[in-house]
Amino acid sequence: MKNMETEFKWDANSPRAFMRMLAAVRRAAGKENVSSPRRLKIEDVYLERPGGEFEKRLIAFRVRNTDGKWEAAFKTRTEVKNGKAVRREETMPLANIKNLADALEFLNAKKRWKGLDITGLRPVFSIRNRRRTAEVFYDGAKAELALDDCEILVLGRRICMKEIELELKQGSAEKMERLAREMTRGSGLEYARVSKVKTAAALLKLWGGK
């Protein structure tokens, strides 16, 4: 069965956005139902096959290093509508991997995964993320709140971007939608119109002259 991800995104490129959202979710869910944020250092390297196969199939394929723990993943690309994105996500842990070269060698040797040809992969852009996450429990549903402070690196250039995500982990999507509406009202933040990945992909086309 395909794994589906449901999440909401907010634009956090405004003063005190992270603190405003934390206060809003604590009011909406109850302070006792929001865990203390923990910090993660994440680097995502997005990969492509010869001929731009993933782009043509609207797939974003990445290798992620989270505090020394490696994994590969891909998501189907989708539009963010009213802050909400629903897409297929598949993840594969990468054991005994120490660096990107090891990860690429492993994937090339594996050849196929979830119906994808994963040979000949090459990096196209990367996203460095200083993330804070908190678990949120709301009316029987469980979600993860992520506060992302990112550097997007494309063709030797760098831009900064902040984003807030609320991802459903367990329970009703309708309840998470209700929570998201309360968080929007309470924080005063606007839903994001484009994701970090779509921003990076657009910059790649712009700066690469494609």
Side-chain angles (χ1 to χ4, degrees):
M1 183 177 178
K2 295 178 180 179
N3 296 314
M4 301 302 294
E5 173 192 68
T6 301
E7 66 182 12
F8 281 85
K9 296 175 177 288
W10 292 266
D11 183 348
N13 296 290
S14 57
R16 301 185 70 252
F18 288 167
M19 296 305 297
R20 287 158 57 190
M21 185 57 85
L22 276 173
V25 73
R26 286 167 178 159
R27 286 194 298 269
K31 188 175 181 180
E32 69 280 4
N33 293 318
V34 182
S35 70
S36 298
R38 69 184 185 111
R39 296 180 181 272
L40 300 172
K41 185 178 179 181
I42 300 170
E43 182 164 5
D44 292 329
V45 179
Y46 283 82
L47 308 171
E48 182 56 278
R49 291 205 68 248
E53 180 182 332
F54 294 160
E55 176 67 21
K56 292 173 184 176
R57 296 179 61 177
L58 300 180
I59 289 171
F61 192 107
R62 74 174 183 225
V63 168
R64 169 170 287 184
N65 176 9
T66 304
D67 293 329
K69 182 179 179 181
W70 292 79
E71 66 179 27
F74 74 86
K75 299 182 182 183
T76 54
R77 297 257 291 273
T78 185
E79 296 294 325
V80 178
K81 296 182 179 179
N82 295 320
K84 183 180 179 181
V86 179
R87 55 200 169 191
R88 180 185 177 190
E89 179 181 25
E90 301 286 353
T91 302
M92 171 174 52
L94 300 178
N96 303 316
I97 297 298
K98 294 183 171 32
N99 52 50
L100 178 61
D102 286 350
L104 293 175
E105 183 179 356
F106 173 86
L107 294 170
N108 194 62
K110 188 174 179 64
K111 296 184 179 179
R112 296 194 68 84
W113 175 50
K114 299 291 183 179
L116 295 181
D117 185 339
I118 53 174
T119 60
L121 299 175
R122 60 179 180 83
V124 288
F125 60 81
S126 61
I127 300 175
R128 296 173 183 167
N129 188 357
R130 295 179 296 276
R131 169 173 284 185
R132 284 182 285 168
T133 66
E135 290 185 328
V136 181
F137 299 89
Y138 178 80
D139 194 16
K142 179 182 177 182
E144 180 182 81
L145 178 69
L147 312 173
D148 290 346
D149 187 355
C150 303
E151 293 179 335
I152 300 174
L153 295 96
V154 180
L155 298 174
R157 305 187 192 185
R158 177 178 68 94
I159 68 165
C160 296
M161 180 176 178
K162 292 183 179 180
E163 184 182 71
I164 296 171
E165 298 179 355
L166 182 72
E167 180 180 349
L168 179 65
K169 293 297 186 180
Q170 183 178 327
S172 165
E174 289 77 14
K175 291 178 180 178
M176 193 181 80
E177 290 187 15
R178 189 167 73 243
L179 173 61
R181 289 194 296 270
E182 292 187 36
M183 290 166 60
T184 301
R185 286 194 296 267
S187 67
L189 299 179
E190 295 185 356
Y191 286 128
R193 296 179 181 176
V194 295
S195 66
K196 300 183 293 288
V197 174
K198 190 168 183 179
T199 297
L203 292 173
L204 181 65
K205 289 183 178 180
L206 176 66
W207 293 339
K210 297 180 181 179

